Structures are given as structure tokens and as C-alpha cells.
Amino acid sequence: MGILHMLLANLGAARLTHRPAELPPPPPGFRGALKHAAASCTGCSACAYACSPGAITLTAGSDGRTFWNYDPGRCTFCARCAAICPTSALSLEALAPPLAGDAASGRLADAVPQRPCGGCGQLFTPLPAPTIARVYGDLVPAFIARNLCEECRRHAVSTAIKGEHR
Amino acid sequence: MSEWWRDLVALLLWPGVAAGAVLGWLLLWMRRKLTARLQRRAGPPFFQPFYDTIKLLGKQTVIPAGVNRALFYGLPLASLAAVAYALALIPAPLSPARGFNGDLIVLIYLLEVPAVCEIMAGFSSRSIYGQVGAAREALLGLGYNLPFLAALLAVATSVGSFSLTVVAGAPIGLIHVVAALAFLLALPARLKSNPFSIPNAEQELVGGAHTEYNGAPLAIFELAHTLELVALCGLLAVLVLPATGLPILDLLLYLAFCALVVAGITALAAGTGRIKIDQAVRFYWRWGLAAAGLSLVVALW
Amino acid sequence: MNPFRNLLARARAKSPWIYCCNAGSCNGCDIEVAACLGPRYDIEQIGALRQGSPKHADVLVVSGPVTRRSREALRAIYDQMPEPKAVVALGSCPASGNIFCGSPTVDAPLAELIPVDVYVPGCPPRPEAIVKGIARAAEILAEREEGGRR
């Protein structure tokens, strides 16, 4: 008679079903749609290296700019790209990625920022401020480090170190 | 001269196709909603069976290669026509039709037609699932018809007439209780609901005899099954319920009784699994035979 | 637009019968579809029923990449479904093949074999996203009826 008790209990109990509108949001830490902060991207390709399905690729544009490309149709939402990104430019928001009508929608192509160096004038990709603070500390003033390409930055840092020890 | 339009109203309006379809959709919604409640689910919205039928009527009909077109379209229509006439014969409260002597026999024949159409549909559909489903339906028919026919014949014998109006109007006695029990024993198998859903075993036989049916023919078949549900519940109601003086009260009792029977069938279906065809037939040849024997003994006593 | 077409469009939106086809998936998406049939997400509340025969279905729900073995079967199932029909691609495998792209036995993407109407991203997508995807496919069937195409 166990099934009879179960049926009677179910008849009196409330339904377990959530109406689509009243579903609770995904829990924190849920790996949903990928967000890319292009201002913090340095084009290092670590994310493309870490991505197993090849959803992230970095391509060269016709004008010499670098493009960060993402295809949610190939993404496994494993977040290894976000874990490996040195400048924390990638994050997965805790919301389910939206439905798509065709395979191409939702694809992203962000240009990696580039500007001429304050020292030598060559085009370079600036490091984001948190990375500079973490790497250089207060050896070199931040606004100088942000405007210099890697060569000029190295030169400025070594000058600052030699200057301190004199 | 005025008789034929009464019968036409009975066929098309009440208790025929129109009222049968509406009542059937209501009972079908009740079945699905109650099943969902018993599984702690929300279940479908109120007009779901109606929308299902409309949607199916609007779909393209794909006839498998080699299947006889006349059979494919004709069998659902034959099934629907038979059940509609059976509904019209039942002396429901406020029914405009006048019965005739022997209409119980005609009713029995008409109620066998949907099962025969189902079997023919399965065999003619050139699908292995359809053929196995049809074979199982035929075997199960050998089982459930025993208590079903015995119940009806016992009541007719005890009352002494084969006219449905006379049988329905007879005072309630022991024979009605015994016959109702035998009828209820046969009912789950007639409706192909658990534990006797073996002819259209969804996970095993894909769709049973209906596997290759689609579009409007499938809609007509489903409508015929819905009307069959109403006809069987209505038949039991007119046999078992005593006639009160007021027709409106009779009608309310009739509808409430149909709902009660459907609720019972649904609870049984939600609480049981499916038994195999040999187990089902053995069940009916043991307990169905006992019920049939008992009802005939009580009738002749 | 005459009232019959209105009613038919409404009926198509309210009664999407689904047929689930596993073209070669890891079963992750199929397990989430099984959750959709359970009490918590219950697709019956949007009128959807899981059918065993493709002839009874309106919406084909495909999970997994198209493999060499399942290609012909998938095509046959799609062809057997009566019009009007819609296709929902679950997860990233039918959209692109995911990590199986480039394998000699995988013929991704699904759109090269049959026309796809809704992509539900995720690996696997959450059951509520699957329910939303099926509801969107039902809407598309209704929109097609209202737009005059069958």
C-alpha cells in the first residue's frame, strides 16, 4: 500500500513545478555567457591556448590590428580562459547565455587596443593599470608605465632602479 | 416524421459529437492534470486537449509508402462515426433521441468498432510497431470483452429487455452493483491505461497502432478515443445511477459520475506500472471470468 | 487574417510536441532534457509532450554533433516529420561540434544537414533554457502560420 500513501500525500502536497517566470536565478559561480573587457586585453593569446574547443581565436585584421574573436556556438563554458587570463579581462557572468536564432549571432570580435608609444612612437598594446601596479609596484609612476611600450618601459624601470641605488 | 431530427440533434449535439467532444476534452484535461498533481507537477493548462486537436488538424498528413490511402483516411472516420452513433444511443439525461428495442445490442457492436479500426490501422501501417501494437490490442480485446459484455448482458437479462431506455430506468438492485464491478474491471483495458496500456506501450512500441498516423487522421483517431471515453463512462452512469425526478439533477449526477470514474481510472494509472500482455490476458481470464460468471449468476437467480 | 488561421497559430504555439534525437552526444544534454520532463521544470505546463514517433512531433530537439553514423538517420527523421516543423539545437555540439570539430567521424554543424530554428547555448544548457528554447520554437511555428507560410 506504499504507492497509495504516496499518491495521497502527493495530492495534498504543493506542486514542485516552477513556472518559467518564477524560476530562481542561477547560483553564484554559475558559468554563463562570456564577457570580455577589451580595454584590459593585451592580446597575449593565453585564452586561445587554454580554450579546448577553439571558441577563442586571435586574428590579425587587414590594418595590422589584432582581433579577439569568440564563438559561443563552440564554447563549453569551462572558464579555463578566465582562469588563465593574466589581466582578468575575461569573466563568465552568472546568467544563462541567451537563445540564438542562427549560428552567427552572439559571436564577438573585439579589437585589442593599440596606441603609439610615448617613447619610441611604435604601436603597442598598453597594459591595464592593475597589472602595472602588480608588476611594477611604485618603481615607475603608473602614468609613465602605461604610455610606454615594452622596450621603453624596461629602459625606464632599469633607469629608476639604477637611480635609486646610486 | 419528427423523429429523424431528434436523432440528428442527439447525434450532433447532445449527447453526440459536439457535447461528447467538449465533455471528452474536459475529462482528458482532468486526466492529465490529476496525473500531474499525483506526480507533484503542474500539468497542462485548461484548454490543452482542444489546442492539441486543432494543431493536429492543421498539420500535413504524411502517408507512408505502400499504405492504402483509403484505409489510412477511412479507418479514423469509421471509428469516429461508430463512436458518435454509440454516444447518440446512450439515454443520457435530456437526450432528445428515442431508443428502440434492441439498441443495447447495436451499442455493443458500435463500441467494438473503434477497437477493430485500431487493429486494422496498426496492421495496415507497414510499421513493425504498429503490427505488434495491433496484435496486442487484439489479444487484450479477448480478455476485457469477457467482463464487459457479461456485465451488459447480465443487466439486460435481469431487467428482461434489450432496450437501453428500459434498462436505464430499472430500479437499482444487486445486479447493478455486480455488473458495475465487472464493467469497471474491463474499463482500464478498454481505455488502454495503466496497468493495461500494453497495446500502446509508449516507451516500447513508440506509438502502438498509431505510430505511422499523423495530422488530421491522427486527430480524428484521438477524437474517437475521447468520445469512446465519454461513451463508456456515460454508459456506466446510465446503468448504475437511479433516475431522480428532476432532469437537471440527473444531468449533474451523470456528469459528476463520469468525472468520478475518470478520476479513479487516472489514480489507478498513476499508481501502477504496465503489465505484460500475457499477464494481462491471464488476469482477465481469471478475474474477468469470475466477475462475468458472478454477474450472470446474479442475473439468472 | 481569418479567425481560423488565428486559432491555428495559437494552437501551434500552445502545443509543441517534441521528438528528442541524440545524434551522438555525451548524454549531458539528454539528461537535462530528462530533467525538463520532471516535476521541477515540467514542459507539460507549456503544452509540450515528448512523443516516440517523429510523425507525431512538431519540434525536433537535437543534441550532440552529427556523426557519420547518425547523419542518414537524422535526415530520415527530419524528413518524416510532417510540416510545419521546427528544429532546436541543444548545446554547442550541434552548433559547431564543440571539441569534436575536425574529427573525421563528425560532420558538424547541424545547419548543413537540416535547417535549424533555435540554438540553445550551454554545455549542457540549463533545463529552464531548454524549456525556453522549446517555447521559442513553438512561437516560431505560430509566427510562420501568421506570416502565411506553412
Side-chain angles (χ1 to χ4, degrees):
Chain A
M1 288 289 116
I3 186 69
L4 198 58
H5 291 144
M6 207 183 297
L7 291 179
L8 286 171
N10 281 349
L11 207 54
R15 59 175 166 85
L16 290 170
T17 307
H18 289 272
R19 297 280 175 211
E22 53 183 53
L23 277 165
F30 175 72
R31 300 192 298 268
L34 184 65
K35 291 280 169 265
H36 178 236
S40 302
C41 181
T42 59
C44 69
S45 302
C47 53
Y49 177 74
C51 182
S52 339
I56 297 177
T57 47
L58 277 98
T59 51
S62 49
D63 49 359
R65 288 195 299 168
T66 312
F67 281 92
W68 177 93
N69 304 294
Y70 168 65
D71 182 4
R74 284 179 83 141
C75 182
T76 309
F77 304 93
C78 61
R80 295 172 83 175
C81 53
I84 208 174
C85 177
T87 59
S88 306
L90 289 170
S91 60
L92 280 86
E93 64 173 352
L95 267 182
L99 301 177
D102 59 84
S105 78
R107 284 191 186 153
L108 297 173
D110 293 337
V112 175
Q114 283 180 319
R115 56 166 185 264
C117 172
C120 58
Q122 292 228 320
L123 275 181
F124 82 109
T125 302
L127 285 180
T131 312
I132 290 176
R134 201 177 69 226
V135 171
Y136 294 107
D138 47 6
L139 275 175
V140 179
F143 73 92
I144 292 182
R146 268 211 299 278
N147 277 329
L148 297 177
C149 71
E150 205 187 323
E151 273 293 324
C152 304
R153 209 159 47 221
R154 223 182 294 145
H155 189 73
V157 166
S158 64
T159 312
I161 291 173
K162 282 186 220 155
E164 277 185 15
H165 281 262
R166 201 166 294 146
Chain B
M1 189 56 194
S2 64
E3 292 303 311
W4 65 268
W5 70 262
R6 298 177 79 95
D7 292 330
L8 198 64
V9 169
L11 178 67
L12 294 176
L13 283 179
W14 169 263
V17 178
V22 171
L23 187 59
W25 286 330
L26 187 64
L27 291 175
L28 213 56
W29 170 80
M30 225 186 76
R31 281 182 83 169
R32 287 173 70 172
K33 197 76 176 175
L34 187 61
T35 309
R37 273 278 176 267
L38 291 173
Q39 296 170 348
R40 295 192 76 178
R41 291 186 292 122
F46 183 69
F47 291 104
Q48 193 61 43
F50 170 66
Y51 284 131
D52 287 342
T53 310
I54 299 294
K55 180 213 69 178
L56 277 178
L57 285 172
K59 284 202 72 148
Q60 174 201 23
T61 304
V62 176
I63 301 188
V67 172
N68 189 332
R69 289 178 75 92
L71 274 181
F72 198 86
Y73 286 113
L75 286 172
L77 290 171
S79 189
L80 181 67
V83 178
Y85 277 115
L87 258 185
L89 279 177
I90 292 172
L94 298 180
S95 165
R98 300 295 159 86
F100 50 90
N101 200 8
D103 58 1
L104 180 63
I105 308 285
V106 179
L107 183 75
I108 290 175
Y109 273 106
L110 285 175
L111 283 177
E112 294 302 320
V113 174
V116 170
C117 286
E118 180 104 352
I119 294 168
M120 286 179 66
F123 274 124
S124 69
S125 68
R126 290 197 73 216
S127 155
I128 188 71
Y129 303 112
Q131 293 181 356
V132 174
R136 287 181 181 172
E137 172 75 34
L139 270 180
L140 196 61
L142 286 179
Y144 67 68
N145 271 319
L146 200 55
F148 179 69
L149 296 175
L152 293 175
L153 292 175
V155 174
T157 313
S158 161
V159 171
S161 161
F162 277 114
S163 164
L164 271 169
T165 332
V166 174
V167 168
I172 304 298
L174 178 66
I175 182 63
H176 288 92
V177 175
V178 176
L181 287 174
F183 195 103
L184 285 172
L185 195 71
L187 199 53
R190 278 219 75 132
L191 301 174
K192 286 189 279 289
S193 84
N194 277 345
F196 303 107
S197 65
I198 191 74
N200 68 347
E202 293 92 24
Q203 294 82 12
E204 186 196 1
L205 284 185
V206 178
H210 289 169
T211 304
E212 297 293 331
Y213 270 80
N214 51 82
L218 182 65
I220 305 285
F221 251 137
E222 293 298 323
L223 190 61
H225 286 316
T226 310
L227 292 182
E228 195 185 356
L229 173 67
V230 178
L232 290 169
C233 294
L235 185 59
L236 187 60
V238 301
L239 287 179
V240 162
L241 288 179
T244 67
L246 313 153
I248 296 296
L249 189 60
D250 273 339
L251 185 64
L252 287 173
L253 278 178
Y254 175 87
L255 295 172
F257 188 83
C258 289
L260 189 66
V261 169
V262 168
I265 297 284
T266 311
L268 178 69
T272 53
R274 182 183 303 139
I275 62 177
K276 300 194 289 185
I277 185 66
D278 55 331
Q279 292 170 329
V281 174
R282 209 175 302 137
F283 172 84
Y284 275 112
W285 281 12
R286 204 174 286 158
W287 295 101
L289 189 61
L294 186 64
S295 45
L296 286 174
V297 160
V298 172
L300 294 170
W301 192 1
Chain C
M1 256 231 7
N2 64 47
F4 293 118
R5 294 285 283 275
N6 269 334
L7 179 63
L8 188 55
R10 219 183 130 110
R12 291 220 173 111
K14 293 217 168 218
S15 170
W17 287 1
I18 68 172
Y19 180 84
C20 299
C21 186
N22 177 339
S25 92
C26 64
N27 264 359
C29 291
D30 304 304
I31 293 173
E32 300 303 318
V33 172
C36 286
L37 304 168
R40 191 177 163 92
Y41 299 102
D42 199 17
I43 50 172
E44 200 175 8
Q45 61 184 322
I46 62 170
L49 279 178
R50 183 178 186 152
Q51 295 295 331
S53 167
K55 289 207 162 70
H56 298 171
D58 311 294
V59 177
L60 178 65
V61 176
V62 181
S63 61
V66 180
T67 58
R68 234 177 22 174
R69 280 205 182 195
S70 66
R71 189 189 177 87
E72 295 310 313
L74 199 49
R75 182 78 231 183
I77 287 169
Y78 180 76
D79 287 338
Q80 282 190 43
M81 284 172 63
E83 292 284 350
K85 52 195 171 187
V87 177
V88 174
L90 283 189
S92 45
C93 281
S96 62
N98 200 331
I99 51 177
F100 308 110
C101 190
S103 160
T105 55
V106 166
D107 286 335
L110 182 63
E112 283 172 8
L113 186 65
I114 57 182
V116 178
D117 297 289
V118 182
Y119 288 89
V120 186
C123 188
R126 300 195 93 208
E128 54 247 45
I130 298 177
V131 173
K132 241 202 271 189
I134 294 172
R136 177 75 198 124
E139 265 175 41
I140 288 176
L141 288 174
E143 281 163 14
R144 271 197 219 140
E145 177 62 29
E146 283 164 359
R149 284 186 291 132
R150 264 186 161 258

